[in-house]
Amino acid sequence: MSYLVLARKWRPQRFEDIIGQEHITQTLKNAVSTGKTAHAFIFSGPRGVGKTSPARAISKALNCEKGSRAGPCSECVSCREITEGKSLDVMEIDAASHTGVNDVREIIENIKYLPTSGKNKIYIIDEAHMLSQSAFNALLKTLEEPPPHVLFILATTEVHKIPVTILSRCQRYDFRRVSVEKIKDTLRDISSREQIKLEDETLFLIAQEADGSIRDALSLTDQLIATYGNEISHAEALSVLGALELSLIKSAVKSVIGGDPKEAVSVLHEALGKGVSPRRFAEDLLREIRSLLLLKTCGREVLSDISDEEKDDLEKIASAQNARKLEMIFKILLEEAESVQRSLYPQMAVEMAIIKLTSVGDFAPIDDILERIEKLSKPSGGRPRRAPDMDESNETYSSSGSEHMRKSQKTPDEKPRDSGGKNTNQALNKSGGTEEFIAYLKSKKPVLAKRLQQASKVDIDDDTCAITCQSGSPELEYLKKNESKKALANYLEEYFSGQYGIRIEEIEPSAKENKDIRQDNREKMERIQNNRAVKDAVEVFGGRIVSTKPK
């Protein structure tokens, strides 16, 4: 075949030709010029960013007949052989098809021999992560101490699959994705040399579609040339690449943010009619919402992957929007886009996602919400209004019955009886009975006090606290715990100045009591839901009551 694709024809031959990897090429140039080249390298990074190209460049620099410290001359016999892939001293091995220990054993046998014509023998192992574990193990010793004339370069897109024992024996260089602007400038330069007419917005579209890969950008350009020749309009590029027109994306974004489902779905159908897939529509819409949110919160400088004209248009849309609303739209769309990718009916999934997005309302600033709550908490006279108490003095939430507690309570007029012992109520350092003790316990441990209130009966005698609970009730489970008993005994001793034992009795509720319990709980739930404070909170926050539960 006489035609050579652009990615191969314009493959970088020198360090200076490599795009977007200056942090690596400068280091390699310095290593070559000072003669301090390591015996093994690992080049890792995304596809098509230029990993094997610098590997070839350093191979030419080390074997160049002119021996220039500035880099390879690309003119001598050795440089030309390496460029054409004919050099016997530079071997490129595809690890995807040479994965076994026998392939590595062959390399180990061959490195013993000196280079055929050059100064060094170089092994470039592409997709190195595909080697088997046994192959990596076989390579360890050789990789650590190769002969002085041998250099290993391992290239991979998945460096996390390379064993740590291999990584520790190599110098590692991480390649970056190439920016949209640099890809665009490279495409403009190559298209002018190849006499290909591409509009500026088409170059930008190709650069965006390449996703940081120079090779992908050139392959897409080749695809356009094969379809439409050397003169390609932007509309033709859109049809071939399956991309969505920017005007349609902007219309979709405005409709979604404006809460117009009819217009948004119409834009979707128009895009589908032009050959755009539903999955691609969801991806482009998600990308545009992301750009809008970043522009709103971080400014123009953060967005390096879109043009200045697009930034201006997005700024006009973002200026009238709330960042919280944009964030919520993005979160919903991110989840829906993932569902669209898995769906057997992607068009219907996108349509439902759009309807869901258009229902997202405006978000009020938190300061406004707090101000509204403060106003609602005050009556018209300006005096703070006390919210109705949900716990009456003799009534608590419980699963143990409408008669929550019948306590042995001493009235203020009742004198403590004399039992002749030191642990009697005559020896109290604080006056009072069961009710007063529970009131005291509320200030110390409210949860324990609440469980005592929920018990069917509590009796505190001279040296015993007897508690009666209904079977299966939450308070029974809580009070039976050792830590609960210990805490209760400590507080009894602290309050009554004496040692008290804890006795817990379990009773079975009757059918009538069970019915009364359910009725009592229903009434309490209704009182909670009809409470003015609860209604005000639901109104202010625009929410709804999902469930109610006891304290």
Side-chain angles (χ1 to χ4, degrees):
M1 294 176 63
S2 58
Y3 181 71
L4 197 62
V5 296
L6 296 177
R8 292 180 59 189
K9 184 176 182 180
W10 294 98
R11 185 171 191 163
Q13 301 300 326
R14 303 176 302 163
F15 291 121
E16 294 80 3
D17 299 333
I18 297 169
I19 308 299
Q21 311 298 338
E22 291 79 9
H23 63 296
I24 294 175
T25 55
Q26 185 60 47
T27 304
L28 294 177
K29 283 175 64 177
N30 292 341
V32 171
S33 63
T34 58
K36 296 180 179 179
T37 307
H39 61 272
F41 295 100
I42 285 185
F43 293 166
S44 66
R47 70 185 189 281
V49 296
K51 296 186 291 294
T52 54
S53 293
R56 288 187 177 189
I58 198 172
S59 302
K60 289 194 290 185
L62 293 175
N63 284 336
C64 183
E65 294 176 1
K66 295 184 179 181
S68 173
R69 289 184 177 269
C73 67
S74 298
E75 296 176 356
C76 64
V77 175
S78 177
C79 288
R80 289 201 305 270
E81 284 181 349
I82 294 173
T83 300
E84 296 169 4
K86 298 178 181 178
S87 175
L88 297 177
D89 297 327
V90 177
M91 281 152 283
E92 292 192 31
I93 301 170
D94 178 24
S97 56
H98 298 79
T99 62
V101 67
N102 291 331
D103 300 304
V104 172
R105 188 179 292 118
E106 185 178 346
I107 294 174
I108 295 172
E109 291 296 324
N110 290 335
I111 63 173
K112 299 176 183 177
Y113 304 107
L114 293 172
T116 304
S117 57
K119 305 171 188 176
N120 297 277
K121 183 174 284 189
I122 295 144
Y123 289 86
I124 303 173
I125 304 177
D126 199 12
E127 301 299 333
H129 62 274
M130 299 293 288
L131 289 175
S132 65
Q133 187 63 46
S134 57
F136 276 125
N137 292 337
L139 191 60
L140 282 178
K141 185 62 178 176
T142 303
L143 200 61
E144 184 174 9
E145 297 178 357
H149 59 273
V150 173
L151 172 67
F152 285 97
I153 302 175
L154 282 64
T156 177
T157 56
E158 300 181 41
V159 70
H160 59 278
K161 293 184 178 180
I162 304 291
V164 178
T165 49
I166 296 291
L167 294 175
S168 65
R169 289 165 167 79
C170 305
Q171 277 190 11
R172 175 176 168 179
Y173 294 92
D174 293 324
F175 287 70
R176 305 168 181 165
R177 293 184 188 275
V178 185
S179 67
V180 172
E181 276 301 326
K182 288 185 177 180
I183 295 178
K184 179 183 172 183
D185 293 340
T186 303
L187 289 176
R188 183 184 290 111
D189 179 55
I190 292 175
S191 59
S192 64
R193 295 187 184 187
E194 292 286 331
Q195 297 182 347
I196 303 167
K197 293 184 179 180
L198 291 170
E199 299 176 25
D200 196 64
E201 57 182 339
T202 304
L203 293 174
F204 210 96
L205 173 65
I206 296 172
Q208 286 181 318
E209 292 294 308
D211 193 25
S213 169
I214 291 284
R215 184 176 62 213
D216 286 8
L218 293 174
S219 297
L220 291 173
T221 305
D222 260 324
Q223 185 178 352
L224 293 174
I225 295 171
T227 307
Y228 294 108
N230 286 0
E231 292 188 13
I232 304 162
S233 67
H234 187 62
E236 291 170 339
L238 286 171
S239 64
V240 170
L241 300 178
L244 192 57
E245 290 181 30
L246 198 56
S247 59
L248 284 178
I249 277 289
K250 289 177 183 175
S251 298
V253 169
K254 290 178 181 177
S255 302
V256 165
I257 294 176
D260 188 351
K262 181 179 179 181
E263 178 62 24
V265 172
S266 297
V267 172
L268 168 64
H269 292 167
E270 183 179 351
L272 297 180
K274 293 184 177 182
V276 178
S277 71
R279 294 183 175 88
R280 179 58 188 267
F281 183 90
E283 290 173 7
D284 288 351
L285 185 59
L286 180 65
R287 189 180 292 112
E288 197 74 3
I289 295 293
R290 166 254 184 193
S291 299
L292 198 61
L293 181 57
L294 287 178
L295 190 68
K296 179 72 176 179
T297 55
C298 305
R300 297 171 62 101
E301 297 77 14
V302 178
L303 295 173
S304 59
D305 55 346
I306 62 175
S307 63
D308 290 335
E309 294 81 2
E310 189 174 351
K311 290 178 185 177
D312 294 336
D313 293 337
L314 289 177
E315 277 184 337
K316 294 176 183 177
I317 300 174
S319 60
Q321 300 304 323
N322 186 296
R324 179 75 180 113
K325 179 179 179 179
L326 294 176
E327 180 187 353
M328 183 60 65
I329 290 175
F330 179 81
K331 285 182 177 179
I332 295 173
L333 184 56
L334 183 62
E335 295 175 359
E336 295 298 326
E338 292 175 355
S339 300
V340 169
Q341 297 296 330
R342 300 189 298 267
S343 176
L344 296 175
Y345 309 99
Q347 179 178 339
M348 287 186 280
V350 175
E351 289 171 343
M352 295 304 104
I354 287 175
I355 293 173
K356 187 175 182 179
L357 291 171
T358 54
S359 65
V360 176
D362 292 325
F363 285 82
I366 188 65
D367 292 338
D368 292 350
I369 294 176
L370 293 175
E371 184 179 351
R372 291 175 63 186
I373 293 174
E374 187 177 353
K375 288 180 180 179
L376 286 169
S377 66
K378 296 179 180 180
S380 57
R383 185 177 176 183
R385 181 179 68 201
R386 178 180 175 272
D389 195 355
M390 296 183 192
D391 289 326
E392 303 298 336
S393 58
N394 295 322
E395 189 174 50
T396 57
Y397 305 120
S398 171
S399 61
S400 58
S402 58
E403 296 280 338
H404 296 289
M405 187 172 67
R406 294 293 178 265
K407 310 172 185 68
S408 61
Q409 178 181 356
K410 295 177 176 59
T411 63
D413 298 332
E414 186 177 353
K415 294 182 180 180
R417 55 190 173 85
D418 185 4
S419 64
K422 67 176 182 178
N423 291 336
T424 68
N425 283 347
Q426 289 178 334
L428 300 181
N429 61 3
K430 295 185 182 180
S431 62
T434 305
E435 189 70 29
E436 286 72 13
F437 169 70
I438 292 178
Y440 164 77
L441 189 58
K442 280 185 178 180
S443 65
K444 297 291 185 178
K445 193 166 185 179
V447 176
L448 183 56
K450 178 65 71 176
R451 292 306 184 188
L452 284 180
Q453 284 184 317
Q454 291 172 343
S456 299
K457 185 178 180 182
V458 177
D459 284 321
I460 300 178
D461 291 332
D462 297 332
D463 57 0
T464 304
C465 177
I467 306 170
T468 304
C469 300
Q470 290 189 2
S471 177
S473 63
E475 58 271 18
L476 177 64
E477 298 299 323
Y478 180 83
L479 294 169
K480 284 171 67 176
K481 295 178 181 178
N482 290 332
E483 55 266 28
S484 300
K485 292 180 181 178
K486 185 177 179 181
L488 180 57
N490 290 336
Y491 287 120
L492 284 165
E493 181 181 358
E494 181 180 321
Y495 186 82
F496 292 110
S497 300
Q499 302 253 340
Y500 279 76
I502 309 296
R503 186 175 75 249
I504 299 175
E505 298 178 358
E506 185 176 347
I507 60 172
E508 294 290 338
S510 63
K512 183 178 183 304
E513 286 176 331
N514 279 331
K515 184 178 180 181
D516 291 340
I517 291 171
R518 291 192 294 270
Q519 179 64 27
D520 188 52
N521 286 336
R522 276 197 298 269
E523 291 175 358
K524 288 171 184 170
M525 299 309 175
E526 289 177 3
R527 283 202 299 275
I528 293 171
Q529 293 176 347
N530 294 327
N531 183 270
R532 178 62 185 275
V534 175
K535 287 184 174 181
D536 288 346
V538 170
E539 179 185 349
V540 169
F541 292 102
R544 60 190 178 88
I545 299 174
V546 178
S547 64
T548 56
K549 60 181 180 179
K551 283 187 177 180

